Structure formats: C-alpha cells, structure tokens
Amino acid sequence: MLRRLLLVLASLSFAACSALEGPGYLWQSVGGHLELMWRARPIVELLDDPATDEALRRKLVLVREARAFASAELGLPDNGSYTRYAALDRPFVLWNVFAAPTLSVELRRWCFPLAGCVGYRGYYDKADAERFAARLAAEGYDTHVAGVPAYSTLGWFDDPMPSSVLRLPDVEIARLIFHELAHQVVYVAGDTTFNESFATAVEEAGLERWLRHREAIDGDSRPAVAWAEHRRRREDFLGLVRRTRERLAAIYGSDEPDERKLAAKAAALERMRDDYRELRRSWGGFAGYDRWFERPLGNAHLASIGAYTDLLPGFRRLLAEREGDLVAFHAEVRRLADLPMDERRAALGGQVVVGAAALPPTEAAGVGAPQWAAGTGRERLSEEASASQDQRQGDEK
C-alpha cells in the first residue's frame, strides 16, 4: 500500500507543481484522502466492540453482508474495500463542482494524471468547492456543487466505508457498494459517461438480486416493491432531464442571437419545473426530488445527471443479451473498454460527446478529489432517497 501511495504522490506532485494554480489542490486532495484512511477502523473490530452504538452496529452488519454478496454473487472484486469504517464530521466525504458554458449542455472537463479527463473537480471542504464554483460562475459558466457520500480509488487502495454513506437508507447503501466496486472492474480514463453508466448498470442488477436474496431470508417483500416504485420514478425523472437537455441543445445550436437563446433557455427550464409538478401529481404527491428542483437549474445541473446515465440503456441491453450473467457482462465491457471511444459508443448505441471544454493536464492536475479516484454520482439520484427519508422522519414527528 505504501508503494502505491508513493507512486500516486510522485505522479501528482510532478503535475501539480506545474499547475497554473500551484500545489495547494494537490495537498487538499492527498490530505483529504489520507485523513479518510487514517480514520478507518476494521468493521469486524467495531462489531466486536460492546461500546459500538446499536444503530451503527446494524448499519455495519448491512455493509458487511452487502460487501460479501457483491463478490460472491455479482462478480465484483474480493478485496479489502469497504471492510473498514471511517467516522467523519461532515455530511459528505467531498463535494464535486460541475460547470458548463452558459449556452452549452456539455460539461467542462479537467484532466488528471491517472483518472484521465472528467467533468468535475472535487473538494474535501465544501467552502473550497463553493469558492471554486463562484470563480467559474464569474467567468460565465453555469455551475453546480454536489455532495458525494463516497468515491472509488479504482483499486489503488482498500477504500473505507465513510459515515456519510451510512446516513442513507439501507437500499442506497447496498446500491452504492455495488456501484463503487464496479469501478474497480472496468475504468476507462477520460470517459466518465462510459464508466458511470456501466457502474449504474451493475448497481441496478446487483440491487435487484440483493433484494431477492434478502426477501428469501426474512420473507419481507416490501423493500423489493419499494425499489420497483423508486426505479419507476427515477426513470420518469431521467426522462424529464433528457428531454430538457435535448430542448436546450436545440436552442443552443440554432442561429438565433444569444439574447433569444438565453430567453428560450429560461423558458425551457421553467417548462421543466412545470413538467416536474405534473410528475409529482402522477406519483401521488411524492416529493422526493423537490430538493433537486429547489436549487438553481442550469446546464451544469442537468449535465451532471446525463454524465452518469446517457449510456445506461446500452449497458442494460448488453446484460440482457447475456441473460443476466454478470461475469460474461463484465468480460464484454472490458472488451469494449479497449476500443476507441467512437466504437465503444457505437456498440452501446450512444454518440461521442464533442465540444466539451477540456483543460490540459498541466492546468488541471492536483485540483480535486483524489485524481486516481472515480467520484460516485450517488448525489445525483440519491436526492430521492435522502429527501424521502427526511419526509418520513417529518411524518413521524
């Protein structure tokens, strides 16, 4: 482990020293990750400790069981990831900053030595993330700051389970474990949409099997029924986001002057809010996505969703063609990962994203969450989980 850390630090130090903004981001990145690793304690020790809080104990048992299920039943790596627990003093492990030009639905990208180019920058301190977002906004970008409960170091380290995850509902915890471990199976530097869409496909398949497994043990079908309803609402939400992005892309690609494009953009975003209110009514008043819509809507807000789901239908199809065999599915995805991007996208029924603003590695290195890491997109859709949990708690008071 020390050898790997030294390799990562050497790579980042070389790049960060030439960064336009100096080495400060390198140190917040490395320091934040080292703090996470330092705080980690083996879960087995906490379960054996009689002083462990009972609520925490129950969550840790869930983590241990879901972690074992991931390797035994889903073909995911069997290593030390998520076998330790790190208690944090903040609600998220880090915050991602997304940015897109005012008249574009394509995310600005930053490039890192090991992870390639990604459409976000991560910070362990929320204030730092907000300051960077404000600076980008002053430059004319639409920005979005999103809390992230966990990330993957792609197998470089044995990632601990941060306390920011355990505040989520049980189903979300299991889903996140499956998602993050999927990043250790396949990761293509510089292709966020491929990586995240694949991990989302794995988490979906894994969670359905996990819920059937749990139902066979305790005879309770309610979690599976709730997940099916959750997934239906999520598909409705993703469809709304996709349609709005398509409207905006058509507006931005037109020959109209910028003033008219900006007016049409505002109208499209207001229409999205109206359409969401109709969705809420069709859901019987379920308000799980309200917090997402309470934030200022913009290109970065919408593009941060698409970055994680645009190729999801293609991955679902690949898995179905292999009759749900995840081992065979992983092998096929590894094969696709070795292809040029245009061939990968063609195989999945997607298109190559062009026009994204990518910064050279010399400017971008050392700037965010661990540059060897894949920050999870769980914030993007865990709004429903966390908001509905808040709603239930409010109903109980």
Side-chain angles (χ1 to χ4, degrees), residues 96-98 108 110 112 118-122 192 196 308 373-375:
N96 277 345
V97 178
F98 299 91
R108 177 172 174 173
W110 293 269
F112 306 112
V118 296
Y120 54 82
R121 284 174 67 168
T192 298
E196 296 297 343
Y308 294 96

Side-chain angles (χ1 to χ4, degrees), residues 196-219:
E196 296 297 343
S197 296
F198 163 66
T200 299
V202 172
E203 74 174 44
E204 286 184 346
L207 190 57
E208 289 177 355
R209 299 174 195 201
W210 166 254
L211 291 173
R212 288 197 300 267
H213 168 73
R214 296 305 310 169
E215 183 178 351
I217 292 174
D218 55 32

